Amino acid sequence: MKSVKRIIFYLSTLFLLLSIPNYAQTIKFTKKTGFRTSEVIYKVSKDGNVTNLFIQIGTQKSYHRIDSDNQTVFWRIVDSSKDFDMSITREGNRYHLCGVTKGKSVDKYESGRGLPWYQNLAYICGRTVSPGEVVRYECFRPGEFSLVTMEARTVKCHDLDGICVRATPVGVKKKLWHADYYYSPEDGSLTGYKSVEGGPGTPVTTWKRK
């Protein structure tokens, strides 16, 4: 049964790669978590006022369509190692979730909260978060695919090069987790990232643009 699921995921990934457009720009980052080093690949192209963004992080591949207001309108994420292949489309103020996660089929709608959908803040933070401004947005947690409300603001960070935008959950969870995105003041592009992507004791993960 596991081998059948793995074949399905491989075919889904192949379909994702074949169905995406030709990308005009490729951006690479070195990812470090403790002593482990890997690569993060961003591929970007324009289709009129829509930005197509493809991201590969290890076995995880995702495809985003972003409108002229920097809001996500479609997101698909595939990860064979974590047993999910999900697509989410925004339809007005609701989301259509469709795919497979944890071996179970999903086809449902979820109401939005009236906030911008920034599924990939890393790519657009330099164009959406101004110094001194607090931006509230919503996104889906990968793996669980639950809708969460987030806040982003510029803060003083000196670990990596660039202006730092810190993203946190709203409410009491703000004190438990945050992610820092660094972007270039010249063109707003991502230059680095820093966060803990796990429970207590998990090493810090950083990205640095090559």
Side-chain angles (χ1 to χ4, degrees):
M1 186 67 179
K2 288 185 177 180
S3 61
V4 173
K5 287 184 178 180
R6 192 164 296 277
I7 291 171
I8 292 172
F9 273 114
Y10 287 153
L11 291 174
S12 297
T13 302
L14 178 61
F15 175 79
L16 175 62
L17 291 171
L18 292 175
S19 62
I20 58 181
N22 293 322
Y23 289 94
Q25 182 185 21
T26 298
I27 307 168
K28 295 182 179 182
F29 301 85
T30 299
K31 178 182 177 181
K32 292 185 177 180
T33 305
F35 296 105
R36 291 178 294 139
T37 301
S38 57
E39 186 176 63
V40 177
I41 301 173
Y42 274 46
K43 294 185 177 182
V44 185
S45 74
K46 291 286 187 178
D47 181 9
N49 292 325
V50 174
T51 299
N52 298 298
L53 174 64
F54 175 77
I55 305 169
Q56 182 171 353
I57 308 174
T59 60
Q60 180 178 292
K61 299 176 178 67
S62 61
Y63 169 55
H64 307 245
R65 286 179 63 82
I66 302 169
D67 68 14
S68 57
D69 293 325
N70 295 312
Q71 294 195 45
T72 307
V73 294
F74 173 81
W75 176 48
R76 183 182 178 193
I77 183 167
V78 178
D79 194 328
S80 58
S81 68
K82 296 182 180 177
D83 196 21
F84 60 73
D85 178 354
M86 287 289 294
S87 295
I88 302 177
T89 306
R90 187 161 195 170
E91 301 176 0
N93 194 39
R94 66 176 187 169
Y95 297 95
H96 183 200
L97 291 78
C98 184
V100 177
T101 179
K102 299 179 182 178
K104 297 180 180 180
S105 297
V106 176
D107 188 356
K108 66 177 184 178
Y109 287 89
E110 182 165 342
S111 296
R113 299 169 184 174
L115 298 172
W117 179 20
Y118 297 148
Q119 188 59 44
N120 189 268
L121 184 69
Y123 178 69
I124 52 90
C125 67
R127 298 186 294 277
T128 54
V129 185
S130 302
E133 181 185 16
V134 178
V135 174
R136 184 166 285 200
Y137 64 100
E138 57 195 39
C139 64
F140 287 86
R141 193 189 308 275
E144 299 176 8
F145 301 102
S146 56
L147 188 64
V148 294
T149 303
M150 303 284 291
E151 286 183 346
R153 70 194 75 206
T154 55
V155 296
K156 292 182 178 180
C157 300
H158 305 288
D159 301 307
L160 299 170
D161 295 332
I163 298 173
C164 181
V165 171
R166 176 162 293 176
T168 62
V170 298
V172 295
K173 293 182 179 180
K174 180 184 298 187
K175 298 180 180 179
L176 302 177
W177 181 87
H178 67 267
D180 292 335
Y181 303 92
Y182 297 80
Y183 69 89
S184 166
E186 283 76 29
D187 61 6
S189 63
L190 184 70
T191 60
Y193 163 85
K194 181 180 180 181
S195 186
V196 174
E197 300 178 341
T202 303
V204 172
T205 292
T206 60
W207 300 3
K208 190 172 183 179
R209 187 166 178 169
K210 294 184 175 181

